[in-house]
Amino acid sequence: MKKAIVVLNEQHTLLEEQESVLNETFEEWEIFPVPAEGWKAEQILGKYAIGPIAQEVLSHISKDERGDAVVFASPVPLLIKVITQCSVSGRSEFRVKIFHSDKREKKEFDGRIISVVAKTGWKLV
């Protein structure tokens, strides 16, 4: 694949394995930072179903190149919906990918067992 725009909350960092997956999958990639406080629905949706945030993400994708992708490393459900709708509408050729890991790591914290983000097992789906 050619280029990826990686949607990532500014409070998150990519894991080493996630960066490796991006480097193996794409010729180039760049981070599209999500502010810590996120966005309001109207910033993503706008008046006509695609607001300024979604438009900004899509402005980084080539409208003429097959193989570009928007990759969600941090979940932004409404943005995932809008970007996916644009991808399947046929207006441009790009894919939507999401990082996923089936691995779960557990740690003890204050006497409780909690799940934490796995460092391995990441793939783009």
Side-chain angles (χ1 to χ4, degrees):
M1 291 189 184
K2 301 218 182 267
K3 179 180 180 181
I5 303 305
V6 181
V7 179
L8 181 71
N9 187 293
E10 66 185 12
Q11 293 181 317
H12 299 166
T13 56
L14 290 173
L15 298 169
E16 187 175 312
E17 186 174 85
Q18 291 172 321
E19 286 189 16
S20 292
V21 169
L22 289 169
N23 289 330
E24 292 166 8
T25 307
F26 299 99
E27 293 174 17
E28 64 179 295
W29 55 272
E30 65 182 74
I31 301 290
F32 187 89
V34 177
E37 66 277 2
W39 294 298
K40 296 189 181 299
E42 53 272 4
Q43 292 174 286
I44 297 171
L45 283 175
K47 288 183 180 180
Y48 305 105
I50 181 166
I53 299 301
Q55 288 177 12
E56 177 67 18
V57 170
L58 293 176
S59 75
H60 292 270
I61 294 292
S62 171
K63 304 297 187 244
D64 302 321
E65 290 288 332
R66 289 178 183 255
D68 284 0
V70 176
V71 173
F72 286 88
S74 296
V76 184
L78 186 55
L79 186 59
I80 293 171
K81 176 188 180 218
V82 171
I83 296 296
T84 300
Q85 286 175 327
C86 290
S87 132
V88 298
S89 72
R91 283 187 262 169
S92 61
E93 298 284 336
F94 70 93
R95 297 178 183 189
V96 178
K97 300 282 191 181
I98 297 174
F99 268 114
H100 173 77
S101 176
D102 288 333
K103 289 190 168 189
R104 300 293 179 263
E105 294 180 6
K106 301 197 183 294
K107 291 189 176 184
E108 186 175 340
F109 181 76
D110 287 341
R112 299 178 295 155
I113 302 296
I114 61 168
S115 292
V116 296
V117 175
K119 293 191 185 317
T120 61
W122 290 97
K123 57 187 169 187
L124 286 173
V125 294

